[in-house]
């Protein structure tokens, strides 16, 4: 026990599953002695290994008599929780605070069942508590002020934020559950490795944990039960637990609490799996890339050009006319000046990068480039026209890449006579700041092309994930159904914009709630992407909600217009 927390007596935790193990780790890490109880010896052993400073005592309830606070973290069944709380109350001293982690049962009913309703409070969270997530202290009309104060004192010692998750927490849980299930479905069909799916969502959306790792933390059995309930309530096919999830639960692969789920875990609870290897061109030798062309002059094109010049590569930026080309260079310079002010680049690095940037109003200027990246409007007719022209301009062996996020890379390749040289490189906006690049190969893409773009991305200090050619790739395919579901909840009156955003940000530690994110992306851009994903993938989950379309028609496009879901 640390001196800092020596005044706080032992804390009991009954139930060492996903929630219980997380609580034991947080408490032990804060220097608090823990008395852990579970009837499963394996759960006790795993908890002991993950919090060696704790005292874990198997199924001996009598050891809890020394605790000042006891937290029940057993499965979400009324009879089980009521029995545990009553047993704790009978075992412990009269002033012991009893804490329930119930997510859906009546806390007041459980408090009465304990026999000591004044001593019972609740902890509400949306995922097993961890750093960056929030927890809400819940009291009943019967909870004593002393019990609430003691529980609050304990929470203040832990590295989690006390938040009001609000009435929307159940809807927030449903939103994330559906997203997690869709992630499992994507993995089940072999579209991408587990590492690539998790990396894509962490880096592409700034999430603290990828979806498959989060499922392991929640517990696959917990997620399966919750999805079954969600499917029964909604009737939506994609809410039914996937076949893979069901098989894993049947096989005892329950996630981190069991030592194995999508990943395997060390005794200390760290991921200890051999990484699944995605196809990155095998042993093919990378083509030499010394000069790069960027076709386009918008935000994405300028950002990509800046990143490439900062890596020391000569870059030709092609705009529709000289005015736009010069404006693009000025915009890149302004971005570099801001980077100098923030200490991210030096003045010499800025000058060096600008010296490598060559503006042009003619696509012929990329004729001798080793790689040309197309970053034009997200319309397949425009992109196909660009690729057809580049096919006639570029030298033999030049790689042609598209930055599309929702259109067919194959369609771009088929506009050329060099289909093997075409690949997708989806940079994220803003390109200088975002670390992720989704690399999409078609059935025609040559292995050395794949090797080459991965090598280039590494030189640009980007992290790559691999996927095949399918609209939305990983990030947009998983993100936009979640955003659309959030809009539909508000559209139906079931939730509010502030409520859902607050619950998602506080409960899961996401950097933005769905509506803040939509306003940041731009509602017009979001609607266009959703229409493309709906039409190309025949996906009903992303057919834009009417509320989104009407806001776009009103010109409320998000931050760029000063109003969207948020704003006056």
């Amino acid at each position: 026990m640390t001196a800092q927390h020596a005044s706080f007596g032992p804390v009991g935790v009954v139930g060492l599953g996903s929630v219980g193990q997380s609580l034991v780790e947080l408490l032990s890490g804060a220097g608090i002695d823990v008395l852990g109880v579970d009837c499963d010896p394996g759960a006790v052993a795993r908890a002991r290994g993950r919090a060696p400073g704790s005292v874990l005592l198997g199924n001996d309830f009598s050891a809890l008599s020394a605790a000042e606070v006891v937290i029940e973290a057993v499965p979400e069944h009324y009879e089980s929780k009521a029995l545990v709380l009553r047993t704790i109350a009978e075992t412990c001293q009269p002033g012991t605070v009893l804490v329930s982690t119930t997510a859906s049962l009546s806390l007041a009913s459980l408090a009465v069942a304990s026999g000591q309703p004044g001593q019972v409070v609740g902890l509400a969270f949306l995922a097993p508590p961890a750093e960056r997530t929030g927890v809400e202290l819940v009291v009943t009309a019967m909870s004593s002020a002393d019990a609430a104060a003691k529980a609050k004192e304990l929470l203040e010692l832990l590295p989690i934020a006390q938040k009001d998750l609000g009435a929307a927490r159940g809807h927030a849980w449903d939103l994330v559950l559906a997203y997690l299930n869709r992630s499992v479905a994507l993995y089940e069909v072999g579209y991408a490795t587990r590492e690539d799916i998790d990396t894509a969502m962490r880096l592409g959306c700034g999430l603290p944990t990828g979806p498959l790792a989060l499922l392991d933390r929640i517990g696959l059995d917990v997620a399966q039960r919750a999805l079954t309930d969600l499917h029964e309530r909604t009737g939506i096919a994609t809410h039914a637990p996937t076949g893979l999830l069901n098989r894993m639960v049947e096989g005892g692969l329950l996630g981190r609490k069991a030592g194995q789920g999508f990943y395997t875990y060390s005794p200390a609870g760290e991921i200890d799996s051999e990484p699944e290897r995605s196809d990155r061109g095998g042993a093919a030798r990378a083509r030499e890339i010394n000069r790069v062309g960027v076709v386009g002059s918008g935000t994405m094109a300028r950002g990509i050009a800046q990143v490439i010049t900062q890596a020391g590569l000569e870059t030709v930026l092609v705009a529709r006319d000289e005015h736009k080309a010069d404006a693009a260079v000025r915009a890149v310079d302004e971005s570099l000046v801001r980077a100098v002010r923030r200490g991210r680049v030096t003045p010499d690095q800025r000058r060096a990068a600008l010296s490598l940037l060559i503006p042009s109003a003619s696509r012929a200027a990329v004729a001798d480039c080793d790689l040309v990246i197309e970053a034009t409007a997200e319309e397949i007719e425009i992109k196909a026209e660009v690729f057809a022209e580049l096919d006639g301009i570029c030298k033999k062996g030049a790689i042609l890449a598209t930055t599309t996020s929702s259109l067919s890379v194959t369609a771009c390749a088929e506009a050329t006579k060099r289909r093997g040289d075409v690949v997708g490189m989806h940079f994220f906006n803003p390109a200088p700041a975002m670390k992720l690049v989704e690399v999409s190969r078609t059935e025609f893409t040559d292995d050395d092309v794949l090797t080459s773009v991965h090598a280039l991305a590494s030189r640009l200090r980007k992290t790559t994930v691999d996927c095949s050619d399918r609209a939305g790739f990983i990030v947009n395919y998983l993100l936009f159904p979640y955003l659309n579901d959030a809009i539909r909840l508000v559209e139906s009156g079931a939730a509010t914009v502030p409520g859902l955003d607050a619950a998602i940000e506080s409960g899961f530690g996401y950097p933005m709630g769905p509506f803040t994110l939509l306003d940041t992306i731009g509602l017009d851009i979001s609607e266009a992407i959703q229409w493309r994903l709906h039409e190309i993938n025949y996906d009903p989950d992303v057919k834009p909600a009417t509320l989104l379309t009407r806001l776009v028609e009103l010109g409320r496009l998000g931050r760029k217009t000063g109003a969207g879901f948020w704003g006056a």
Side-chain angles (χ1 to χ4, degrees):
M1 191 187 307
T2 65
Q4 180 183 1
H5 301 154
S7 62
F8 206 99
V11 173
V13 177
V14 180
L16 300 176
S18 300
V19 170
Q21 283 187 18
S22 294
L23 287 167
V24 167
E25 291 170 44
L26 285 171
L27 291 162
S28 180
I32 298 169
D33 284 345
V34 184
L35 307 173
V37 174
D38 197 292
C39 61
D40 178 6
V44 172
R46 282 188 292 272
R48 181 179 292 117
R50 294 170 189 184
S54 302
V55 181
L56 303 171
L57 298 171
N59 60 0
D60 187 359
F61 270 78
S62 65
L64 298 173
S65 60
E68 293 186 34
V69 176
V70 180
I71 306 170
E72 72 76 9
V74 299
E76 195 75 351
H77 302 297
Y78 179 82
E79 291 77 10
S80 299
K81 286 185 179 287
L83 176 61
V84 166
L85 287 168
R86 186 165 58 252
T87 303
I88 295 170
E90 293 170 351
T91 303
C92 297
Q93 299 299 317
T96 302
V97 179
L98 312 181
V99 182
S100 174
T101 62
T102 184
S104 60
L105 303 173
S106 166
L107 182 62
S109 294
L110 290 172
V112 171
S114 75
Q116 295 186 17
Q119 294 304 110
V120 175
V121 298
L123 290 182
F125 30 73
L126 294 179
E131 291 189 36
R132 284 187 66 175
T133 61
V135 61
E136 181 178 356
L137 179 62
V138 182
V139 299
T140 72
M142 298 172 283
S143 301
S144 72
D146 287 345
K150 193 67 176 178
K152 188 174 188 297
E153 179 187 352
L154 175 61
L155 290 178
E156 288 172 348
L157 302 178
L158 305 181
I160 52 178
Q162 294 186 57
K163 299 282 189 177
D164 179 3
L165 300 181
R169 67 188 183 208
H171 295 304
W173 172 237
D174 288 347
L175 274 179
V176 172
L177 265 179
Y179 147 70
L180 296 178
N181 201 42
R182 194 175 177 93
S183 302
V184 178
L186 196 65
Y187 179 59
E188 184 173 14
V189 298
Y191 182 72
T193 68
R194 64 191 175 195
E195 285 85 0
D196 280 353
I197 290 172
D198 278 355
T199 298
M201 298 311 293
R202 282 192 303 102
L203 297 185
C205 300
L207 306 185
T209 310
L212 302 180
L214 179 57
L215 274 165
D216 273 358
R217 176 172 281 277
I218 289 170
L220 273 62
D221 53 335
V222 174
Q224 182 199 44
R225 287 194 299 270
L227 283 163
T228 299
D229 173 68
L230 179 62
H231 181 237
E232 288 175 353
R233 286 187 280 118
T234 66
I236 296 173
T238 52
H239 290 170
T242 67
L244 176 60
L245 186 62
N246 289 331
R247 291 192 297 275
M248 292 178 73
V249 172
E250 290 168 5
L253 304 178
L254 306 183
R256 187 171 180 268
K257 64 183 177 185
Q260 188 169 2
F262 288 99
Y263 298 89
T264 56
Y265 294 84
S266 70
E270 302 297 326
I271 290 177
D272 190 29
S273 306
E274 283 293 323
E276 294 180 349
R277 301 295 181 185
S278 55
D279 178 14
R280 302 201 164 188
R285 183 176 179 178
R287 302 182 190 182
E288 190 171 350
I289 298 176
N290 295 310
R291 183 179 171 92
V292 177
V294 177
V295 178
S297 59
T299 302
M300 181 59 76
R302 298 194 303 264
I304 293 170
Q306 177 183 329
V307 168
I308 295 171
T309 57
Q310 284 183 261
L313 292 170
E314 193 171 68
T315 304
V316 179
L317 189 150
V318 180
R320 282 183 290 180
D321 54 52
E322 292 182 3
H323 173 73
K324 288 185 179 294
D326 292 339
V329 172
R330 288 195 299 272
V332 170
D333 189 21
E334 289 168 3
S335 176
L336 287 167
V337 167
R338 290 193 295 272
V340 170
R341 288 174 184 160
R342 294 168 183 164
R344 294 174 181 169
V345 301
T346 66
D348 285 346
Q349 288 171 330
R350 169 191 161 237
R351 285 189 288 270
L354 281 176
S355 71
L356 293 170
L357 184 58
I358 304 167
S360 177
S362 171
R363 292 176 186 167
V366 302
D368 61 346
C369 289
D370 304 303
L371 166 69
V372 180
I373 301 174
E374 169 275 318
T376 60
E378 196 75 348
E379 296 179 23
I380 194 59
E381 294 79 11
I382 292 175
K383 291 184 182 294
E385 181 272 325
V386 170
F387 272 84
E389 185 173 353
L390 291 175
D391 184 35
I393 291 172
C394 294
K395 65 182 182 180
K396 182 180 179 181
I399 297 170
L400 306 182
T402 175
T403 61
T404 186
S405 62
S406 58
L407 297 175
S408 168
V409 179
T410 300
C412 296
E414 289 178 336
T416 75
K417 297 177 182 177
R418 53 171 85 191
R419 296 182 299 182
D421 292 333
V422 178
V423 68
M425 289 187 75
H426 177 213
F427 289 77
F428 284 71
N429 192 33
M434 298 294 282
K435 298 298 183 185
L436 182 68
V437 176
E438 290 179 308
V439 176
S440 175
R441 78 177 301 171
T442 73
E443 61 180 302
F444 310 115
T445 306
D446 291 336
D447 284 348
D448 62 344
V449 169
L450 208 62
T451 303
S452 302
V453 295
H454 278 291
L456 174 66
S458 178
R459 185 170 177 179
L460 303 181
R461 298 183 179 180
K462 301 296 183 186
T463 298
T464 53
V465 295
D466 280 287
C467 52
S468 57
D469 181 23
R470 171 168 154 178
F473 303 143
I474 298 172
V475 174
N476 285 354
Y477 180 81
L478 296 178
L479 175 63
F480 278 94
Y482 154 82
L483 295 176
N484 210 38
D485 283 349
I487 299 169
R488 285 173 175 159
L489 280 170
V490 169
E491 189 175 57
S492 70
T496 67
V497 167
L500 271 178
D501 269 8
I504 290 289
E505 292 168 13
S506 299
F508 291 98
Y510 287 8
M512 297 181 192
F515 299 100
T516 301
L517 181 54
L518 280 159
D519 278 1
T520 302
I521 295 168
L523 271 58
D524 53 337
I525 294 172
S526 298
E527 184 195 31
I529 290 174
Q530 288 183 196
W531 273 120
R532 282 193 290 272
L533 295 179
H534 170 64
E535 293 166 353
I536 295 172
N537 292 333
Y538 308 102
D539 190 343
D541 289 346
V542 284
K543 183 178 181 180
T546 302
L547 180 59
L548 175 63
T549 298
R550 287 179 178 169
L551 285 171
V552 172
E553 290 171 350
L554 288 173
R556 293 178 64 102
L557 307 183
R559 284 186 183 177
K560 60 189 173 186
T561 60
F565 283 100
W566 288 91

